[in-house]
Amino acid sequence: SKMTVKAVKMPCTSANVYTKVPDGGWGWTVAFAFFVVEALTYGIIKSFGVFFNDLMESFDETNSRISWIISICVFVQTFTAPLSTVLSNRFGHRLVVMAGGLLVSAGMVIASFARSVVHMYVTIGIVSGLGYCLSFLPTVTILSQYFDKRRSLVTAVASTGECFAVFSFAPAITALKEQIGWRYSMLSVGVLQLGITACGSLLRPIVIREQEEVKAQPPEESTETKYMLENEQTCTSIESIDSGVDITTSPSNVPGKTKAEPKSEEPKQHGQNPADNNSTPPAPKTKLLDFSVMRDYSFICYAFFGLFATLGFFAPSLYIIPLSRSLGIGKDHSAYILSAMAIAEVFGRIFAGWILNKKPIRKIYIELICVILLSVALVAFPFASGFWGLMICSVYFGFMLGTVAGTHIPLLAEDDVVGIERMSSAAGVYVFIQSLAGLAGPPLAGVLVDTTKNYSSAFYSCAAGMVLGAVFLALVRPCKLGLCHHHHQQQQQQQQVEESTAGPPPELPDDFIDMDIGKAENSGKGSDSV
């Protein structure tokens, strides 16, 4: 059947109404917008490590205090996720992302004039952090709504924007700093991030409404069979007024022309037009934020997975350059290591999207395997020595990071977690829970580095968090099965209670149907004779 589209008015914008998920169309434009938004949000956050040593020298601060810049930024980004969900449901994804782009750019531009690390906490940490939240989460949410069968693959490929950004931004910013200094380089990055606002204007809202199927009329039954069914349903005589069946011998009611339909007196009594009964009922009001997902045990386990796994997402990209410098590797070669990690992450995201689209096993199990292998990658860093040792570890880590980072939020739309209907609210709550790890992760790694005087401790802390995340991820599917089994038992118990309370059906005389058919035939003959 051909998919129909018609425009309806939404708050501050217009939306396209589809009878089914388009799985393409304007969704490709949304995917491109998500690619650019990823590059200008998470791509910049992961490339911020190139400013690390410059900020330490300019402000005369320690690793831990400089780490708080990104830590506060990630915390604000994730902590305000429910606010992003509420604003998106109220004003639409388009306006929210455009406003987020303005905040991101303003925070980065103002930070280029900062005179202390505290100013960085406010500008990049709070202002840009809020902008990152308003930009990223609505974009990935609306992209998931445009695709169904190809959702995993499209989301994974579009999320490679941050990888290409790290690959290109890290060497470019490093070279730019040599020419104009870190302040003007940061200013240029802030101006570039205005592109998020342009991408936000491309996010056309989408509404899915199932088309009512016209049921084929069953073949006509014989008169006797029809009378028997009517008597069984009404448990009364066909001449009784309560049965609601009007039987005449007029040609309009002769079997083979049309079926006898019950009369409905209610519209006439209330002065309503019978055509009103066929009108489409009003759509249910969308909740701004649905916290009912917190009662789902599978979602709770998945949220704890995100909480601990976040510890391993940002710290390695922040500390890979300082680690390489501590091993005597030059600035240029250190930037190449970070770029190689970004290239490997591209392939990891594409591979994850392809394998999830094939679904050899359940997607939640594929994610679990990737998380376990990512934990191994984090443990391998402290054992690396020299340029090529770090390069191999970075490529392996980048590939495995891509398999997890590009899929953990879209997996919320799967039935094993919450499903596509509740993904918008679930994503807000999920990212909100991640905020604690985003706040504590980089500073915790910084404190360990300052205490042990060894960058290896930062990677060990990330590996420990990832292992805990794998444990909770392994519990998602069992919790979902247990919850479904519990609901099924409750429904069975409720059905048994209803059957026990309901009395047995009234007994009818054996000749009840025959008597009614005889009366009907006699009345029909009488009317014909008249």
Side-chain angles (χ1 to χ4, degrees):
S1 60
K2 187 177 180 181
M3 181 173 56
T4 58
V5 181
K6 57 181 180 179
V8 297
K9 292 296 181 182
M10 297 288 286
C12 304
T13 184
S14 60
N16 284 336
V17 179
Y18 294 86
T19 57
K20 62 179 181 179
V21 179
D23 226 13
W26 190 257
W28 298 117
T29 305
V30 177
F32 171 76
F34 179 59
F35 177 88
V36 178
V37 169
E38 273 270 2
L40 298 178
T41 54
Y42 280 104
I44 298 299
I45 292 177
K46 289 187 175 182
S47 302
F48 196 78
V50 300
F51 294 107
F52 226 76
N53 292 330
D54 299 294
L55 297 178
M56 291 175 61
E57 294 174 1
S58 298
F59 300 140
D60 192 20
E61 295 289 352
T62 62
N63 274 289
S64 179
R65 287 180 61 85
I66 297 299
S67 298
W68 275 101
I69 299 174
I70 293 299
S71 180
I72 294 174
C73 177
V74 174
F75 172 76
V76 173
Q77 177 190 0
T78 53
F79 186 81
T80 55
L83 174 63
S84 174
T85 300
V86 170
L87 294 178
S88 298
N89 291 335
R90 176 62 181 88
F91 300 105
H93 299 78
R94 179 180 295 170
L95 289 180
V96 174
V97 174
M98 294 176 68
L102 293 176
L103 288 176
V104 169
S105 178
M108 190 66 71
V109 169
I110 298 174
S112 64
F113 301 98
R115 295 300 174 187
S116 69
V117 69
V118 177
H119 296 161
M120 289 278 190
Y121 293 162
V122 177
T123 53
I124 296 180
I126 298 178
V127 179
S128 292
L130 178 60
Y132 286 136
C133 177
L134 299 182
S135 303
F136 171 76
L137 196 57
T139 310
V140 69
T141 301
I142 194 172
L143 177 62
S144 299
Q145 296 173 358
Y146 268 95
F147 292 91
D148 181 18
K149 296 180 181 178
R150 291 179 280 191
R151 182 188 300 136
S152 299
L153 181 61
V154 172
T155 305
V157 173
S159 66
T160 58
E162 71 177 77
C163 310
F164 284 106
V166 175
F167 169 71
S168 57
F169 288 167
I173 295 175
T174 301
L176 194 62
K177 287 192 304 177
E178 300 294 333
Q179 302 295 326
I180 60 177
W182 70 267
R183 290 188 181 274
Y184 286 108
S185 299
M186 189 173 291
L187 177 64
S188 302
V189 171
V191 174
L192 182 63
Q193 287 178 313
L194 279 175
I196 298 175
T197 303
C199 293
S201 63
L202 300 176
L203 304 182
R204 184 177 297 172
I206 177 175
V207 176
I208 306 296
R209 289 180 182 172
E210 295 183 358
Q211 188 176 9
E212 295 183 359
E213 298 182 357
V214 180
K215 297 182 178 179
Q217 293 185 353
E220 289 293 335
E221 304 134 339
S222 62
T223 307
E224 182 177 354
T225 305
K226 183 168 63 177
Y227 290 161
M228 293 173 63
L229 292 176
E230 287 170 351
N231 280 318
E232 291 177 357
Q233 292 172 359
T234 59
C235 294
T236 183
S237 172
I238 56 176
E239 291 185 346
S240 173
I241 298 177
D242 294 336
S243 66
V245 180
D246 184 18
I247 298 179
T248 65
T249 56
S250 60
S252 61
N253 287 328
V254 174
K257 298 288 184 71
T258 57
K259 293 180 66 176
E261 296 181 354
K263 289 184 179 181
S264 178
E265 300 294 335
E266 186 176 355
K268 297 180 181 180
Q269 294 175 359
H270 295 280
Q272 297 176 351
N273 188 353
D276 294 340
N277 294 333
N278 296 328
S279 60
T280 304
K285 189 175 180 180
T286 304
K287 293 183 180 180
L288 295 181
L289 188 62
D290 186 8
F291 278 103
S292 64
V293 294
M294 294 299 295
R295 296 195 296 267
D296 194 333
Y297 294 133
S298 60
F299 172 76
I300 293 176
C301 290
Y302 197 82
F304 275 110
F305 150 70
L307 176 69
F308 291 107
T310 305
L311 294 174
F313 283 168
F314 296 101
S317 59
L318 290 176
Y319 284 100
I320 187 63
I321 290 182
L323 175 63
S324 61
R325 296 295 302 276
S326 67
L327 296 177
I329 301 174
K331 290 183 179 180
D332 294 337
H333 288 79
S334 299
Y336 293 151
I337 293 175
L338 188 60
S339 299
M341 181 189 297
I343 295 175
E345 188 174 346
V346 171
F347 290 99
R349 289 172 181 263
I350 296 175
F351 173 78
W354 176 78
I355 199 69
L356 288 175
N357 198 51
K358 293 293 183 180
K359 293 190 294 187
I361 56 177
R362 285 192 171 272
K363 295 182 179 181
I364 201 74
Y365 295 147
I366 299 175
E367 186 82 353
L368 177 60
I369 295 173
C370 295
V371 170
I372 294 174
L373 295 177
L374 181 58
S375 304
V376 176
L378 289 168
V379 176
F381 271 102
F383 298 96
S385 61
F387 172 77
W388 288 109
L390 276 181
M391 177 66 75
I392 295 174
C393 289
S394 298
V395 170
Y396 175 49
F397 170 80
F399 183 86
M400 299 314 307
L401 178 63
T403 60
V404 177
T407 57
H408 70 110
I409 292 180
L411 274 181
L412 289 168
E414 300 299 325
D415 292 334
D416 283 339
V417 189
V418 294
I420 188 62
E421 294 81 6
R422 296 189 295 170
M423 182 193 174
S424 180
S425 296
V429 178
Y430 173 75
V431 178
F432 169 77
I433 295 175
Q434 281 185 292
S435 63
L436 299 178
L439 177 67
L444 175 62
V447 170
L448 292 175
V449 170
D450 292 336
T451 303
T452 61
K453 306 300 181 182
N454 189 347
Y455 286 101
S456 299
S457 57
F459 293 91
Y460 283 134
S461 65
C462 295
M466 195 63 65
V467 170
L468 286 175
V471 172
F472 282 101
L473 183 61
L475 297 175
V476 172
R477 177 65 180 167
C479 288
K480 192 69 174 182
L481 292 176
L483 187 63
C484 294
H485 182 66
H486 179 67
H487 286 168
H488 182 65
Q489 285 184 340
Q490 285 184 340
Q491 292 177 356
Q492 286 184 339
Q493 293 177 357
Q494 184 178 2
Q495 185 178 3
Q496 290 177 357
V497 171
E498 291 177 355
E499 292 178 354
S500 61
T501 54
E507 297 182 358
L508 301 176
D510 296 336
D511 57 347
F512 178 75
I513 297 176
D514 297 334
M515 293 171 59
D516 283 342
I517 294 176
K519 291 180 181 180
E521 292 177 353
N522 293 333
S523 60
K525 292 179 181 179
S527 59
D528 292 341
S529 60
V530 174

